[in-house]
Amino acid sequence: MRPFSVVENLGFRRPLHTLEPRYTIPSRAHFTRTVVPTLYKEAKVKVVQTLKEAESIAITTDGWTSRCTQGYITITAHIINSDWQMVNFVLQTRPLFDSHTGANIAEVLQVAVTDWEIKKTNHGIAIVTDNARNMEVAVREAGLEPHIKCFAHTINLATQAGLGVARVTRLLGRVRRVTAFFHRSSTAAALFMSKQKLLQLPPHKLIMDVTTQWNSTLDMLVRYLEQQAAISATLTSPEMRQNARNIDTLDSSDILNAEDLVKLLNPLKTATTVLCEEKSPTVSLIVPLKSMIEQNMAPNDGDSPTVADTKRAILSNISGRYSGDAYNLLLESTALDPRFQTLPQLDHNQRESVFLRVQKKAEQLQQNQTTGEKSTARREEAAAHCSTHGEREQKLEQLVQ
């Protein structure tokens, strides 16, 4: 992608003039005021028509901040078309100059619903957001329902709580200091590469994590464990003893704790990856995945103190998520998925209650469909009658004339 101003650069204009002197290059203003707005209008008409034809619509939204600290909010629509394929449209990305309060975000959502004509008479608009309090307020004030909290974000919050345990924080601090040393020292990096070759280890660089992205912390631990032999060989070599005297490698207990943490967190990363699916709905996965995580985080007599504390923090954070009508909707979605329809995480009475709600909703849906078909038939019959009546009047007028 190049900016529109490229058409004003001499290096761009001169070759085109050489190729075709008679051609007039459009100005930057022509692209910004005419070409792009026209393309946008044409695309918007097609998207709006597609959304109108969809029986139900769900939207996702999230706020984010650019590198220049400008706040934005993006809204995406999701439908299932007549071919039973999931289709996604990024409707808009708008700057949010005001504070990211629930009221301000609600106004953006309401404007988007009206602007893109996605309001359905007999259906609510399902919406997925993160777990932020302002999003909860925004969805409620915008009148959108049902509201589902993003489970990938829920996993992130729970895992961050586990990584915030004091024992884990100290361990990660040591790993980060070693990783940062190799990143800033070219001598250490070069010696590290030679040790990798000598020990026949993969020529991978150490990974520095991003504290807001827990999966990067897992990747950092996995890479450290993979390269621990080369790391120790480098830091204990005569060339590095002076520069690395303040850098401590992990002892055997730290290595065991790191290995246990990797085993504990790997299922959470797998769950997050499974949820990153764009071609098929994932709402039916939330209850089974949450149940699986809660089972994995159950205390075990063989757990080390570090693992026990981490499990306790993750379980405490995730167990209270999803309740009320939102949880009932998730259970119903799970019951409709052939892979999980037995609902093994529920007892007999709870399963029967879920199946009964699904049955009632299916009957109501069928009744609405039958009523709609009858209404359509009556309208067609009335239109045909009017057409026939009009033809008769026209023939009568011709006979009179």
Side-chain angles (χ1 to χ4, degrees):
M1 296 289 290
R2 302 288 295 171
F4 297 140
S5 59
V6 71
V7 299
E8 299 177 352
N9 294 343
L10 184 61
F12 179 82
R13 301 179 67 88
R14 184 176 293 170
L16 289 182
H17 179 73
T18 301
L19 292 172
E20 179 51 79
R22 295 170 296 178
Y23 178 67
T24 302
I25 301 175
S27 65
R28 175 174 56 180
H30 176 71
F31 285 103
T32 57
R33 298 173 185 174
T34 305
V35 176
V36 173
T38 300
L39 291 174
Y40 175 77
K41 290 179 181 178
E42 293 175 354
K44 184 176 181 180
V45 168
K46 294 179 181 178
V47 171
V48 169
Q49 183 59 37
T50 302
L51 295 177
K52 283 183 177 180
E53 295 172 355
E55 185 174 346
S56 300
I57 299 174
I59 62 175
T60 55
T61 185
D62 193 18
W64 52 280
T65 305
S66 68
R67 292 183 177 180
C68 57
T69 68
Q70 172 62 56
Y72 292 89
I73 184 168
T74 298
I75 300 175
T76 306
H78 314 268
I79 65 169
I80 296 178
N81 62 19
S82 57
D83 296 325
W84 288 93
Q85 294 178 337
M86 191 167 176
V87 183
N88 309 308
F89 298 103
V90 178
L91 300 183
Q92 61 184 49
T93 296
R94 297 285 186 270
L96 196 60
F97 298 108
D98 300 323
S99 59
H100 291 201
T101 62
N104 291 335
I105 297 175
E107 183 179 354
V108 174
L109 293 175
Q110 291 170 333
V111 171
V113 168
T114 303
D115 190 29
W116 291 92
E117 303 178 31
I118 59 179
K119 193 73 174 179
K120 298 292 182 180
T121 305
N122 299 323
H123 293 280
I125 301 176
I127 182 169
V128 178
T129 71
D130 60 21
N131 290 265
R133 176 64 179 169
N134 60 341
M135 283 296 183
E136 187 174 348
V137 173
V139 171
R140 184 171 60 250
E141 292 192 5
L144 303 176
E145 60 178 356
H147 180 200
I148 305 298
K149 310 290 182 62
C150 173
F151 191 57
H153 185 252
T154 299
I155 293 176
N156 178 61
L157 294 177
T159 310
Q160 292 287 5
L163 296 177
V165 171
R167 297 174 186 271
V168 178
T169 300
R170 287 194 294 269
L171 173 63
L172 294 178
R174 293 179 182 179
V175 176
R176 290 188 185 111
R177 282 195 296 273
V178 173
T179 302
F181 173 74
F182 281 95
H183 278 210
R184 69 173 179 264
S185 173
S186 57
T187 304
L191 185 58
F192 177 64
M193 292 175 61
S194 67
K195 298 298 183 182
Q196 286 177 320
K197 293 179 181 179
L198 184 64
L199 296 169
Q200 297 183 349
L201 292 173
H204 297 157
K205 293 183 178 180
L206 297 182
I207 298 174
M208 177 61 75
D209 68 336
V210 180
T211 55
T212 56
Q213 300 173 9
W214 76 267
N215 53 327
S216 67
T217 303
L218 175 60
D219 294 337
M220 178 180 71
L221 286 176
V222 171
R223 182 61 53 84
Y224 187 97
L225 293 174
E226 175 194 85
Q227 301 291 335
Q228 61 174 315
I231 293 171
S232 299
T234 302
L235 294 178
T236 56
S237 64
E239 303 95 314
M240 296 304 302
R241 284 177 183 171
Q242 182 66 25
N243 295 331
R245 62 180 181 273
N246 295 325
I247 304 298
D248 295 327
T249 57
L250 304 188
D251 57 29
S252 58
S253 62
D254 290 332
I255 294 296
L256 289 175
N257 285 331
E259 291 174 345
D260 289 341
L261 281 174
V262 168
K263 292 178 182 178
L264 183 67
L265 298 179
N266 265 328
L268 299 178
K269 184 176 182 180
T270 301
T272 304
T273 304
V274 169
L275 292 167
C276 298
E277 173 61 55
E278 295 185 356
K279 298 300 181 183
S280 61
T282 56
V283 66
S284 63
L285 298 173
I286 294 179
V287 171
L289 288 176
K290 182 173 180 288
S291 177
M292 178 270 291
I293 292 173
E294 289 173 341
Q295 291 176 9
N296 286 344
M297 298 303 145
N300 191 304
D301 294 337
D303 292 337
S304 66
T306 301
V307 171
D309 291 348
T310 305
K311 280 185 173 182
R312 193 178 302 111
I314 294 176
L315 185 60
S316 174
N317 188 283
I318 202 171
S319 59
R321 307 282 180 177
Y322 303 106
S323 60
D325 293 339
Y327 185 64
N328 289 334
L329 177 63
L330 295 179
L331 288 174
E332 293 161 12
S333 301
T334 304
L336 291 170
D337 192 324
R339 298 170 296 179
F340 315 114
Q341 61 183 359
T342 58
L343 300 176
Q345 61 274 11
L346 303 181
D347 60 34
H348 175 74
N349 292 334
Q350 291 173 325
R351 281 196 295 270
E352 290 301 318
S353 177
V354 174
F355 294 150
L356 183 61
R357 292 200 304 269
V358 172
Q359 181 180 350
K360 288 182 177 180
K361 288 187 176 182
E363 291 173 352
Q364 184 64 43
L365 183 63
Q366 185 177 14
Q367 182 180 352
N368 294 341
Q369 185 176 2
T370 302
T371 304
E373 291 175 353
K374 289 181 179 179
S375 300
T376 302
R378 285 196 294 268
R379 286 195 298 269
E380 292 177 351
E381 183 179 352
H385 176 73
C386 292
S387 177
T388 303
H389 183 69
E391 291 177 358
R392 288 177 179 175
E393 288 186 346
Q394 187 176 4
K395 288 181 179 180
L396 183 61
E397 290 177 358
Q398 291 176 354
L399 289 173
V400 172
Q401 293 176 357

